[in-house]
């Protein structure tokens, strides 16, 4: 594609994104988060416009056009955050609740509905920094993220936007941020050393492995080490996130996890086909163990009150017994 064509393409994309942003900003939103996110995109357009005009490198202009197309797709997040798409009381309460995970940091959240049947949390600052770090100057990045240190977009399934129970799964998704921070803090050399010591001489894997030359043993050892590292990381990501969900939503997190797991095979082993997810039964048992350690089942049986409180407590208690 010629330089003139790239210029026309980038200018058209920028104009279309701005027009759509202007239209969306005229809507009503229950919080300021959509306006703040729109501001980030708007400032990114300003910096990309200046960069495109300043560079004659064709490949960099192509890359800018690809980023602009990604930003155009992200505008839909604002559309999904309007009051008409998600109950206003849900947006404000969930954003406030998730902010408790980072009480000493200026973290912002935007709740939006999505068509995929999944709960997601996107770290916008991390994603956009990855796009722009090797393209724009640090001063330009500072202008894009002005006043925004951390911004997460939380997606909920459109067909479940009024399902209070399943929204407890948001605690799990928010927990992924803490799980990632923990995993990054680990000493990888020490971890690999422990795994190699556990693997040992591999005779447990193949009694005749010592008959193979060292060069043939090496790829087997490497494959097993990587499999253990990947499986362990996935297990930690999910189990830590489950615990964060429990700390935020308590008993509801357990019931939400069971509801999500219901269509699945509870004892599926972690394999590449299951994306190394730990078995659902293991996760449910881990939450149940935490629940009993906190004495929740006993507390439920002691709570008394008028209808429907007594019925709710009784049903919750029986459901816990059934899960156990």
């Amino acid at each position: 594609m010629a330089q003139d064509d790239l210029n026309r393409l980038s200018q058209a994309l920028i104009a279309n994104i701005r027009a759509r942003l202007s239209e969306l900003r005229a809507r009503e939103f229950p919080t300021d988060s959509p306006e703040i996110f729109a501001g980030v995109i708007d400032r990114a357009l300003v910096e990309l416009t200046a960069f495109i005009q300043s560079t004659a490198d064709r490949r960099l202009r192509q890359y800018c056009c690809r980023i602009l197309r990604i930003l155009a797709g992200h505008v839909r997040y604002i559309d999904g955050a309007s009051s008409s798409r998600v109950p206003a009381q849900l947006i404000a309460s969930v954003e406030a609740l998730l902010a408790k995970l980072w009480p000493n940091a200026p973290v912002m959240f935007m709740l939006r509905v999505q068509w995929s049947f999944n709960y997601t949390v996107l770290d916008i600052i991390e994603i956009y920094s990855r796009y722009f770090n090797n393209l724009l100057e640090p001063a330009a990045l500072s202008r894009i993220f002005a006043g925004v240190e951390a911004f997460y977009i939380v997606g909920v399934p459109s067909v479940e936007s009024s399902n209070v129970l399943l929204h407890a799964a948001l605690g799990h998704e928010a927990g992924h941020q803490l799980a990632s921070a923990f995993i990054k803090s680990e000493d990888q050399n020490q971890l690999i050393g422990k795994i190699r010591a556990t693997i040992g001489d591999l005779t447990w894997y193949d009694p005749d492995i010592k008959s193979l030359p060292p060069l043939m043993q090496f790829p087997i050892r490497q494959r097993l080490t990587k499999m253990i590292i990947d499986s362990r990381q996935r297990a930690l990501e999910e189990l830590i996130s489950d615990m964060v969900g429990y700390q935020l939503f308590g008993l509801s997190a357990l019931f939400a996890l069971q509801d999500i797991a219901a269509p699945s095979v509870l004892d599926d082993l972690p394999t590449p086909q299951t994306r190394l997810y730990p078995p659902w039964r293991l996760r449910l048992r881990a939450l149940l163990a935490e629940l009993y350690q906190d004495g929740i089942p006993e507390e439920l049986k002691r709570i008394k009150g008028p209808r429907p409180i007594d019925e709710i407590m009784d049903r919750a208690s029986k459901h816990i017994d059934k899960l156990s």
Side-chain angles (χ1 to χ4, degrees):
M1 184 176 285
Q3 292 280 29
D4 289 345
D5 292 333
L6 286 173
N7 285 339
R8 283 194 295 270
L9 175 61
S10 62
Q11 290 171 10
L13 282 168
I14 290 169
N16 290 336
I17 294 171
R18 281 182 171 152
R20 184 61 175 149
L21 282 177
S22 178
E23 177 189 335
L24 289 172
R25 281 172 151 172
R27 296 185 184 179
E28 290 188 3
F29 296 94
T31 70
D32 294 333
S33 297
E35 173 60 32
I36 292 170
F37 180 52
V40 171
I41 294 179
D42 206 9
R43 293 191 293 274
L45 295 179
V46 171
E47 298 300 333
L48 284 172
T49 299
F51 181 83
I52 292 170
Q53 292 173 349
S54 69
T55 183
D57 190 311
R58 178 172 170 273
R59 290 172 300 177
L60 289 178
R61 289 189 174 193
Q62 286 178 319
Y63 179 66
C64 287
C65 287
R66 288 198 292 270
I67 292 178
L68 285 169
R69 286 176 173 174
I70 293 171
L71 293 178
H74 287 183
V75 173
R76 75 184 189 278
Y77 299 156
I78 302 172
D79 183 32
S82 62
S83 299
S84 62
R85 303 293 301 279
V86 184
Q89 66 274 20
L90 175 66
I91 295 177
S93 59
V94 169
E95 287 182 6
L97 184 62
L98 293 178
K100 291 182 179 180
L101 282 173
W102 293 271
N104 300 317
V107 179
M108 301 178 187
F109 294 91
M110 186 177 83
L111 197 68
R112 61 107 183 182
V113 297
Q114 59 191 22
W115 285 112
S116 59
F117 196 93
N118 195 14
Y119 289 82
T120 58
V121 177
L122 300 178
D123 184 342
I124 288 300
I125 303 300
E126 190 275 331
I127 293 172
Y128 285 7
S129 295
R130 196 166 65 244
Y131 293 155
F132 298 133
N133 269 344
N134 297 321
L135 185 70
L136 303 177
E137 295 292 330
L141 287 177
S142 296
R143 288 191 292 270
I144 291 173
F145 301 134
V148 183
E149 293 187 28
F151 195 101
Y152 295 96
I153 295 181
V154 181
V156 301
S158 177
V159 297
E160 297 287 1
S161 61
S162 61
N163 188 331
V164 175
L165 172 61
L166 281 189
H167 289 332
L170 288 173
H172 170 94
E173 295 303 328
H176 274 289
Q177 312 304 319
L178 297 181
S180 296
F182 171 77
I183 291 169
K184 288 178 182 177
S185 71
E186 289 188 296
D187 186 326
Q188 292 300 307
N189 291 329
Q190 185 180 45
L191 174 62
I192 291 173
K194 288 181 178 180
I195 291 174
R196 286 175 176 169
T198 303
I199 289 176
D201 60 7
L202 292 178
T203 52
W204 58 270
Y205 178 77
D206 182 355
D208 300 322
I209 197 166
K210 289 186 177 181
S211 63
L212 297 175
L215 282 177
M216 294 184 68
Q217 294 183 33
F218 180 76
I220 297 174
R221 185 180 297 277
Q222 289 294 95
R223 187 177 73 252
L224 289 174
T225 300
K226 184 179 186 305
M227 187 184 302
I228 292 171
I229 290 174
D230 291 346
S231 299
R232 176 184 180 274
Q233 178 173 325
R234 174 63 84 179
L236 283 174
E237 288 173 349
E238 299 306 318
L239 292 170
I240 291 174
S241 299
D242 288 343
M243 291 302 167
V244 171
Y246 170 72
Q247 291 300 319
L248 284 173
F249 289 94
L251 183 58
S252 298
L254 171 64
F255 291 165
L257 186 67
Q258 189 227 356
D259 204 62
I260 293 170
S264 306
V265 178
L266 294 184
D267 296 308
D268 259 350
L269 293 176
T271 64
Q273 289 71 32
T274 62
R275 295 192 293 169
L276 299 179
Y277 276 97
W280 286 105
R281 195 184 303 277
L282 172 68
R283 295 170 61 182
L284 288 167
R285 285 176 174 173
L287 281 188
L288 276 169
E290 196 73 12
L291 199 73
Y292 276 99
Q293 184 174 327
D294 290 344
I296 301 298
E298 290 77 13
E299 287 297 323
L300 284 176
K301 292 175 182 178
R302 281 197 289 266
I303 295 176
K304 302 297 180 182
R307 295 181 62 186
I309 293 177
D310 57 343
E311 294 179 357
I312 293 172
M313 295 301 104
D314 182 59
R315 290 185 182 182
S317 182
K318 288 179 179 177
H319 198 60
I320 293 172
D321 292 339
K322 182 180 177 181
L323 284 175
S324 303

